């Protein structure tokens, strides 16, 4: 199977070429590059090149990426990169940068949406001064159905954001970092260690939305999923959680992962806990 090279490989090549190096550590990135171009030799966990091999590597990399990697990587989005006939994935700006998926009460001149609709909005189109409260929701299906949850009355006028996963989180984080400090940010995630870590690591998150725990809701939870999240649990044990410390203690005592979908299915009331 051909080796697929990406931005991390291009950065490694740029570093070698820009600094006129003839050897590098034979780590996973350089193992990929070595397999792709078959240049250099491995000696004692180092990949070494002759000056001629390095020149050939530069030419082969330029043919592969469409960019002379002795130069810095392009500082633009993928459309601009594509217009310059280079690999568009080298662009540092990802498609989700500067955008959020939003619903609820949209600020400024943005339209009023039906409950089942959301809008992908560029951050530059959001009037930050008009945002009164933000609710960040972890899971997409629960973001879509947020109007069906038993939310506190204080959240009925909130701007609701999908937190996203992977690269999709970037736009949400960028918006939260731009918000005035006085704007309350409420996080609604799964009731488990991973969900609490999400809340604890989002910028400006000051309130956590948690369900009223009943025997029926706890019975829907998964002990297996809770124990799989041991790394997140360790992180929480070593974190300054403030007012959320009681939530973490309660979670550990219950020892189950309760998903947002369970909370909706059982109609569990939700309440805000300040950090």
């Amino acid at each position: 199977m051909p080796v697929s090279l990406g931005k991390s490989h291009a950065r490694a090549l740029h570093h070698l070429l820009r600094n006129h190096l003839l050897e590098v550590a034979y780590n996973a990135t350089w193992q990929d590059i070595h397999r792709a171009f078959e240049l250099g030799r491995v000696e004692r966990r180092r990949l070494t090149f002759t000056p001629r091999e390095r020149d050939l590597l530069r030419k082969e990399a330029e043919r592969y990426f469409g960019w002379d990697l002795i130069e810095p990587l392009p500082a633009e989005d993928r459309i601009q990169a594509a217009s310059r006939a280079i690999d568009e994935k080298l662009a540092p700006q990802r498609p989700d940068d500067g955008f959020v998926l939003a619903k609820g009460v949209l600020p400024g001149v943005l339209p009023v949406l039906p409950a089942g609709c959301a809008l992908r909005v560029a951050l530059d189109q959001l009037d930050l001064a008009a945002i009164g409260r933000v609710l960040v929701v972890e899971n997409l299906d629960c973001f879509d159905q947020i109007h069906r949850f038993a939310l506190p009355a204080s959240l009925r006028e909130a701007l609701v954001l999908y937190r996203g996963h992977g690269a999709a989180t970037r736009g949400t984080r960028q918006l939260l970092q731009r918000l005035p400090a006085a704007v309350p940010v409420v996080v609604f995630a799964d009731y488990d260690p991973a969900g609490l870590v999400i809340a604890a690591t989002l910028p400006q998150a000051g309130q956590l939305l948690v369900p009223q725990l009943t025997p029926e809701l706890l019975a829907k939870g998964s002990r297996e999923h809770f124990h799989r999240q041991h790394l997140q649990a360790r992180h929480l044990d070593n974190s300054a959680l403030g007012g959320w410390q009681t939530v973490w203690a309660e979670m550990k005592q219950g020892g189950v992962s309760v998903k947002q979908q369970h909370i909706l299915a059982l109609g569990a009331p939700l309440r805000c806990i300040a950090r």
Side-chain angles (χ1 to χ4, degrees), residues 221-265:
S222 168
R223 293 193 179 278
E224 179 185 356
H225 287 182
F226 185 93
H227 291 298
R228 277 186 203 163
Q229 297 175 12
H230 57 91
L231 294 179
Q232 291 89 340
R234 187 184 308 164
H235 175 85
L236 293 168
D237 281 336
N238 294 293
S239 298
L241 298 175
W244 296 350
Q245 189 63 51
T246 56
V247 177
W248 176 224
E250 186 180 55
M251 269 187 202
K252 286 197 287 188
Q253 184 176 8
V256 295
S257 168
V258 179
K259 307 303 184 187
Q260 290 181 300
Q261 293 84 352
H262 298 144
I263 296 168
L264 178 56

Side-chain angles (χ1 to χ4, degrees), residues 96-99 123 169-178:
D96 284 307
D97 285 356
F99 284 84
L123 299 189
T169 310
R170 291 162 65 96
T172 299
R173 296 184 68 88
Q174 289 165 0
L175 173 57
L176 297 181
Q177 289 165 346
R178 296 184 189 183

Side-chain angles (χ1 to χ4, degrees), residues 6-21 24 29-30 33 37 54 57-58 61-62 65 67-74 90:
K7 193 184 300 182
S8 63
H9 303 94
R11 283 196 295 261
L13 285 160
H14 169 70
H15 179 76
L16 175 126
L17 295 170
R18 189 74 169 183
N19 292 283
H20 308 287
L21 303 178
V24 290
T29 299
W30 277 101
I33 295 170
F37 299 124
R54 187 181 59 196
L57 181 63
R58 177 181 176 181
E62 181 175 2
F65 289 105
W67 184 264
D68 184 356
L69 288 175
I70 201 169
E71 301 297 331
L73 297 184
L90 291 183

Side-chain angles (χ1 to χ4, degrees), residues 144-158:
D144 291 337
Q145 300 290 327
I146 194 65
H147 57 283
R148 296 180 54 207
F149 282 89
L151 297 173
S154 61
L155 294 178
R156 291 175 186 161
E157 301 298 315

